[in-house]
Amino acid sequence: MTLYEAEKGGSYCIEGLYVEPGITRRLQALGLNDGTVINVLNRKKRGALIVQVRGTRLALGRHISSNIEISPRKK
């Protein structure tokens, strides 16, 4: 499933980033790496997501979030 399909309030594990190489490097620098836990805090009207990664809140647009593969976090 993709991050764009994630539910508000859910906790997920990143499985892969499938965007352009420049964007991938920037996301990895921000802490979005394979195996990282990500929490979806809010969903905006036009498709943007507010997520929390390692204590930092990020806003990701639909183009980026629809190209990040995730899996539900195992508790």
Side-chain angles (χ1 to χ4, degrees):
M1 100 189 259
T2 65
L3 182 57
Y4 184 70
E5 300 166 337
E7 295 180 16
K8 178 180 174 182
S11 184
Y12 302 91
C13 185
I14 296 177
E15 298 295 325
L17 303 172
Y18 303 101
V19 290
E20 296 82 18
I23 296 174
T24 299
R25 283 191 300 274
R26 179 66 176 144
L27 292 174
Q28 289 174 338
L30 291 169
L32 277 79
N33 300 305
D34 292 356
T36 302
V37 175
I38 187 168
N39 298 309
V40 178
L41 301 177
N42 203 352
R43 179 179 292 278
K44 298 295 182 181
K45 292 180 185 178
R46 303 188 112 190
L49 292 175
I50 308 296
V51 297
Q52 184 176 24
V53 180
R54 298 183 181 180
T56 302
R57 291 169 49 156
L58 302 172
L60 300 174
R62 180 171 38 200
H63 170 71
I64 294 174
S65 64
S66 63
N67 289 299
I68 297 176
E69 289 289 323
I70 58 169
S71 63
R73 183 176 177 204
K74 295 170 180 59
K75 295 182 180 181

